[in-house]
Amino acid sequence: MHAEIIAIGSELTTGAKLDTNSQWLSLELAEIGIPVRFHSTVADDHAAMLELFRGAADRSDIVLITGGLGPTLDDLTRQLLADLLGTELVLHEPSLAYIKELFEKRGRYMPERNVIQAKFPEGSEPIENPVGTAPGIWLEYPREGREPSRVAAMPGVPSEMRRMYANQVLPRLPQGDKVIMKARVNCFGIGESAAEEKLGDLTARGREPEVGITVHEATITLRITAHGNSREECQVAIDETKELIRERMEGFVFGEEDEGLEHILMRSLVAQEKTIAVAECGSGGVLARSLSSVNENDLFRGGLVLSESGMASDPLSIPAELIDEHGVISRAAAKFAAEQIRELFHVDYALFVSAFRPLDHDEEGKPIPNAYVAAASDEHTYVQDHVLVGDPQIARSRAAKTIMDLMRRKLL
Amino acid sequence: MHAEIIAIGSELTTGAKLDTNSQWLSLELAEIGIPVRFHSTVADDHAAMLELFRGAADRSDIVLITGGLGPTLDDLTRQLLADLLGTELVLHEPSLAYIKELFEKRGRYMPERNVIQAKFPEGSEPIENPVGTAPGIWLEYPREGREPSRVAAMPGVPSEMRRMYANQVLPRLPQGDKVIMKARVNCFGIGESAAEEKLGDLTARGREPEVGITVHEATITLRITAHGNSREECQVAIDETKELIRERMEGFVFGEEDEGLEHILMRSLVAQEKTIAVAECGSGGVLARSLSSVNENDLFRGGLVLSESGMASDPLSIPAELIDEHGVISRAAAKFAAEQIRELFHVDYALFVSAFRPLDHDEEGKPIPNAYVAAASDEHTYVQDHVLVGDPQIARSRAAKTIMDLMRRKLL
């Protein structure tokens, strides 16, 4: 069994809009074990659409179509599906009543042109749209000597499409041979090749479940994909693999799925009822942004976002002698800054990330640390030096994650 | 003349990756006046690819293919193009030498499997790839009684593809009947419907050049699209339309293309050699992030990013009496905060954005301002009150833009 996905609209073929529906539907179909062989996008053009619809229904057992169901003359999907079946559009009274009601609720009359949205190809079935005026269309396209091809047309608006797919289309689809389920385990503090070594045969090609490694701004994500006869079977296999990953990557795993280090940190702070503040230099506020995004309990009290020259000025009150002796980017300045922020904001914990300079080497050719991070509690201040290279934005994000990870390990 | 675009790869049809190449190429083709009728994406599958390549080369005058040119067994584009022409793959010695050299430069031997990347369908032309190991392929597919279809296969890696398209494919393409050029004018401080009213007939359907309105986080962008016989003709029409827009939208236009308010602000600061700092409350650092992103000259010295409870604590040193009398979200607190930040950071200008509370109404049912912004120079402090509603993230971004716009109008 194979599926294919068609997106309709000149706004897609001209490049004015990016089609993300086809990707989303492919992932959904994979979950019920149905492989997708083709995505197609076609302009609002009668001949081109008919050619594509015919070819698709002929070669694929499932055809999912998005777009072209609006009320304007450009919206051809409805008519083309009638042409595909060789029938006419007929009015579906309940759909018309529903669309009229929707307009009335918004305090408007239904324009005459919207009547077309209540018409359906003879022999097809309307699919209700609880959130918009465009109902979907379900039909079975007869194929000689084979099962009919199942065709569903859905609105192009992603939120309407996703809801209609999940509630009304998915239940009508046959189940594929194999179910696919995915899971993610997130790690920090280890390089990609070191992680690969630790994981050993877990990442071998052909292993079941598969384990793939991706890296994004120094966060390593292990992507587990399980194939099985049921969701239950996949879940068991995924749980076993997660267990193995946690054993082999001990200490580096911090979360799952969409969890970042900031979620883990904030969860601990909430449990401990402790507050936090930050200072960061040259970062544009990476730490402040991360912690703000999870600040429902107002435990992140705020921070200083500084440029390098800003760091030497008043808000942090770093003593001039300290800067003269050690410089702004130094272990001593980092320690002072973290402790100072803790007092300035009257918080339990403070984090600091320094700016970083271009890399330099000592006489033996070893790189000299060019950035410092620090974390302060009432008992202890931890400082770490860093050698940051490469893309500045990634280096900054890495520094911010490093100090959040250090706090997770040492202070929470 | 029509074009179509094909993206190759099971990682696309499974949904693991999103195809952005087809959109990019569509926009490029529009610029030289060539309309695109189809995008297709196909899995790494011999039969499916051949069917698609044949259909495409038959119905379209230009076929742009991305992906499937790697060295592994899954990479079928090369072989399929040979099948399309009915010829064999033959070794192209200069390409082989180039690929070998590329590996040597990286200090590695070329694996045997990479030899395949130097093979090309007999009758096709190699397209050099200055940045990767996969050369492209150019061929003309003969069609009875018609011009041959021009087919270009390019790597799937977007950076390699874009470079190859611009340098080697675009010069080989015929020019379409009409050139399309686009431009953008950015406005702030006016609502969408008020802008539409001011623009009048400029936004009428069918006007040449077209003017469309889009809104993103309170920034209004006017998108001009000109159709003409040459780039010069389009440019003249665009310039005239821009002039009309600036007349009708006087005072609201701040920039063009990708320019945000932060670019305009920073340009003035650089010209005046003045410095700036910010304080913001509950925003997660929208202002600090904007100004950091354009801070090459280090004139943005830094800022305070506070939570609402953070604002009442020490760093700003707002007097307790002021908070008791007026509250944290008040005109008086905003004025104090902006002036305080200016002193704390020893800068010429300071901006402040307060947190905002859920909206409340007075006895007459009028909304009570729920947020304040302020801008301070050595001569004057401007404070504005605001009624912020709707999505908090958009409301925050709107508040940050409002104060940058106020500074642009009053202080620079």
Side-chain angles (χ1 to χ4, degrees):
Chain A
M1 185 154 26
H2 279 98
E4 81 177 84
I5 298 169
I6 298 177
I8 307 290
S10 295
E11 74 280 14
L12 302 173
T13 50
T14 58
K17 266 197 185 169
L18 178 66
D19 168 38
T20 55
N21 286 338
S22 301
Q23 181 191 30
W24 188 86
L25 285 169
S26 296
L27 291 170
E28 288 291 317
L29 288 168
E31 288 223 347
I32 56 166
I34 298 175
V36 174
R37 237 186 337 195
F38 292 99
H39 294 174
S40 305
T41 304
V42 62
D44 302 308
D45 174 307
H46 192 283
M49 281 171 72
L50 189 57
E51 180 189 339
L52 185 61
F53 283 16
R54 277 222 180 98
D58 198 55
R59 70 190 170 194
S60 296
D61 310 297
I62 294 168
V63 181
L64 301 183
I65 300 170
T66 59
L69 290 175
T72 73
L73 289 175
D74 296 349
D75 291 298
L76 300 173
T77 299
R78 208 174 286 107
Q79 181 60 51
L80 263 300
L81 289 178
D83 295 351
L84 178 71
L85 287 179
T87 60
E88 300 290 322
L89 290 177
V90 289
L91 188 70
H92 183 246
E93 290 290 351
S95 293
L96 184 63
Y98 175 75
I99 296 171
K100 274 190 180 155
E101 194 191 316
L102 208 65
F103 273 96
E104 273 161 27
K105 271 189 200 156
R106 295 176 192 171
R108 292 166 49 200
Y109 279 109
M110 184 192 78
E112 194 50 38
R113 64 175 187 200
N114 283 76
V115 173
I116 188 74
Q117 293 189 301
K119 292 190 176 177
F120 295 85
E122 216 180 330
S124 75
E125 240 180 89
I127 310 176
E128 274 176 38
N129 182 348
V131 283
T133 62
I137 301 170
W138 174 265
L139 62 87
E140 303 204 344
Y141 175 76
R143 299 184 298 182
E144 226 180 288
R146 286 182 296 165
E147 287 261 294
S149 176
R150 284 127 169 139
V151 180
M154 294 175 280
V157 180
S159 58
E160 295 184 22
M161 184 280 289
R162 290 179 184 200
R163 194 166 168 151
M164 187 179 285
Y165 175 82
N167 296 340
Q168 280 122 307
V169 176
L170 176 58
R172 298 176 201 232
L173 295 180
Q175 176 86 27
D177 305 332
K178 286 276 180 187
V179 177
I180 300 177
M181 276 178 73
K182 289 170 192 275
R184 279 172 286 157
V185 177
N186 303 320
C187 311
F188 190 82
I190 185 168
E192 188 176 4
S193 40
E196 231 171 335
E197 218 166 277
K198 276 187 186 295
L199 291 166
D201 57 344
L202 283 183
T203 61
R205 240 188 132 127
R207 183 185 187 273
E208 181 52 48
E210 280 170 39
V211 179
I213 303 187
T214 55
V215 188
H216 179 66
E217 298 186 349
T219 297
I220 292 207
T221 300
L222 305 174
R223 296 171 182 274
I224 308 171
T225 310
H227 308 74
N229 295 314
S230 67
R231 293 181 64 84
E232 294 67 32
E233 190 186 318
C234 287
Q235 193 59 57
V236 170
I238 282 177
D239 290 343
E240 283 171 10
T241 298
K242 273 188 190 170
E243 199 50 48
L244 286 171
I245 289 173
R246 284 185 179 272
E247 269 170 32
R248 298 191 190 178
M249 297 288 287
E250 209 196 326
F252 298 108
V253 174
F254 67 80
E256 298 193 358
E257 303 308 323
D258 287 324
E259 283 175 339
L261 284 158
E262 64 275 19
H263 296 93
I264 309 305
L265 231 58
M266 197 50 79
R267 207 184 293 150
S268 297
L269 291 172
V270 170
Q272 297 181 17
E273 297 183 44
K274 299 267 172 132
T275 54
I276 189 170
V278 303
E280 38 191 327
C281 194
S283 69
V286 184
L287 267 178
R289 186 156 69 251
S290 291
L291 291 171
S292 293
S293 72
V294 291
N295 199 28
E296 291 83 10
N297 298 66
D298 205 19
L299 298 174
F300 168 58
R301 288 298 156 81
L304 278 167
V305 175
L306 302 165
S307 74
E308 201 178 320
S309 53
M311 188 166 162
S313 72
D314 259 10
L316 273 178
S317 315
I318 303 181
E321 314 86 73
L322 190 156
I323 294 181
D324 286 347
E325 194 177 334
H326 302 280
V328 177
I329 299 178
S330 64
R331 181 170 285 272
K335 181 168 187 295
F336 184 92
E339 291 169 359
Q340 184 73 0
I341 284 297
R342 216 184 132 257
E343 290 191 11
L344 210 53
F345 282 85
H346 308 291
V347 289
D348 300 301
Y349 297 109
L351 304 181
F352 171 77
V353 177
S354 78
F356 67 100
R357 297 247 169 85
L359 199 59
D360 221 341
H361 296 81
D362 66 13
E363 286 161 13
E364 291 169 26
K366 279 204 295 194
I368 301 168
N370 61 349
Y372 293 84
V373 297
S377 72
D378 56 344
E379 288 180 349
H380 199 83
T381 303
Y382 294 89
V383 184
Q384 248 184 28
D385 54 32
H386 273 276
V387 172
L388 293 179
V389 288
D391 180 71
Q393 201 188 323
I394 293 176
R396 276 176 207 129
S397 163
R398 178 185 211 116
K401 286 178 182 177
T402 303
I403 192 60
M404 288 196 280
D405 193 49
L406 188 140
M407 178 161 171
R408 170 181 79 87
R409 288 160 187 262
K410 302 276 187 176
L411 294 176
L412 295 174
Chain B
M1 184 153 28
H2 279 99
E4 80 177 85
I5 299 170
I6 298 175
I8 307 290
S10 295
E11 74 279 14
L12 301 174
T13 50
T14 58
K17 266 196 185 171
L18 178 66
D19 167 38
T20 55
N21 286 337
S22 301
Q23 182 190 28
W24 189 86
L25 285 169
S26 296
L27 291 171
E28 289 289 318
L29 287 169
E31 289 225 346
I32 56 166
I34 297 174
V36 174
R37 236 183 340 191
F38 292 98
H39 295 175
S40 306
T41 304
V42 60
D44 303 307
D45 173 307
H46 192 283
M49 282 172 71
L50 189 57
E51 180 190 339
L52 186 60
F53 283 16
R54 278 224 179 97
D58 198 56
R59 69 191 168 193
S60 297
D61 311 296
I62 294 168
V63 180
L64 301 184
I65 301 170
T66 58
L69 290 175
T72 74
L73 288 175
D74 296 349
D75 291 300
L76 299 173
T77 299
R78 209 175 283 108
Q79 181 59 51
L80 263 300
L81 288 178
D83 295 351
L84 178 71
L85 288 179
T87 61
E88 300 290 322
L89 290 177
V90 290
L91 188 71
H92 182 247
E93 289 290 351
S95 292
L96 185 63
Y98 174 76
I99 297 170
K100 275 190 178 156
E101 195 191 315
L102 209 65
F103 273 95
E104 273 162 27
K105 271 190 199 155
R106 296 176 191 172
R108 293 166 49 201
Y109 279 108
M110 185 191 78
E112 194 50 39
R113 65 177 185 196
N114 283 76
V115 173
I116 188 74
Q117 294 189 299
K119 292 191 176 176
F120 295 85
E122 215 180 331
S124 74
E125 242 180 90
I127 310 177
E128 275 176 37
N129 181 348
V131 283
T133 62
I137 302 171
W138 174 266
L139 62 87
E140 304 203 343
Y141 175 76
R143 299 186 296 183
E144 225 181 288
R146 287 182 296 166
E147 287 261 294
S149 175
R150 286 125 169 142
V151 180
M154 296 174 279
V157 180
S159 58
E160 295 184 22
M161 184 281 289
R162 290 179 185 200
R163 193 167 167 150
M164 188 179 284
Y165 175 81
N167 296 339
Q168 279 122 310
V169 176
L170 176 58
R172 296 176 204 231
L173 294 180
Q175 176 88 27
D177 305 331
K178 286 276 182 186
V179 177
I180 299 177
M181 275 178 73
K182 289 170 193 277
R184 278 173 287 158
V185 177
N186 303 319
C187 312
F188 188 82
I190 185 167
E192 188 176 5
S193 39
E196 232 172 334
E197 217 167 278
K198 277 189 185 293
L199 290 166
D201 57 343
L202 284 182
T203 61
R205 240 190 132 128
R207 184 185 186 275
E208 182 52 49
E210 280 168 41
V211 178
I213 303 186
T214 56
V215 188
H216 180 65
E217 297 186 349
T219 298
I220 292 208
T221 300
L222 305 175
R223 297 171 181 272
I224 308 171
T225 310
H227 307 75
N229 295 312
S230 67
R231 293 182 64 83
E232 293 68 32
E233 191 187 317
C234 287
Q235 192 59 57
V236 169
I238 283 177
D239 289 344
E240 283 171 9
T241 298
K242 273 188 189 169
E243 198 50 49
L244 285 171
I245 289 173
R246 284 186 179 272
E247 270 169 32
R248 298 191 190 179
M249 298 287 287
E250 210 196 324
F252 298 107
V253 174
F254 66 80
E256 298 192 357
E257 302 307 324
D258 288 324
E259 283 175 339
L261 284 158
E262 64 274 20
H263 295 93
I264 310 303
L265 232 59
M266 197 49 80
R267 206 184 293 149
S268 297
L269 292 171
V270 169
Q272 296 180 19
E273 297 183 45
K274 299 267 172 132
T275 55
I276 188 168
V278 303
E280 39 191 325
C281 194
S283 70
V286 184
L287 267 179
R289 186 157 72 249
S290 292
L291 291 171
S292 293
S293 71
V294 291
N295 200 25
E296 291 83 10
N297 298 66
D298 205 19
L299 297 174
F300 168 58
R301 287 298 156 80
L304 278 167
V305 175
L306 301 166
S307 74
E308 200 178 321
S309 53
M311 188 166 161
S313 72
D314 257 11
L316 273 178
S317 315
I318 303 181
E321 313 87 73
L322 190 155
I323 293 181
D324 287 345
E325 193 177 338
H326 301 281
V328 177
I329 299 178
S330 64
R331 181 170 285 272
K335 182 168 188 294
F336 184 92
E339 290 168 359
Q340 185 73 358
I341 285 296
R342 217 183 132 257
E343 290 190 11
L344 210 54
F345 282 86
H346 307 292
V347 289
D348 300 301
Y349 296 109
L351 304 182
F352 171 77
V353 176
S354 79
F356 66 100
R357 296 248 171 85
L359 199 59
D360 221 340
H361 296 80
D362 65 14
E363 287 160 14
E364 291 169 26
K366 280 204 296 193
I368 301 168
N370 60 349
Y372 293 85
V373 298
S377 71
D378 56 345
E379 289 179 348
H380 199 83
T381 303
Y382 293 89
V383 184
Q384 248 184 29
D385 53 32
H386 272 276
V387 171
L388 292 179
V389 288
D391 181 71
Q393 201 187 324
I394 294 177
R396 276 175 206 128
S397 164
R398 177 185 210 115
K401 286 178 181 177
T402 302
I403 193 60
M404 288 197 280
D405 192 51
L406 188 141
M407 179 163 170
R408 170 182 81 86
R409 288 161 185 261
K410 301 275 187 177
L411 294 176
L412 295 174

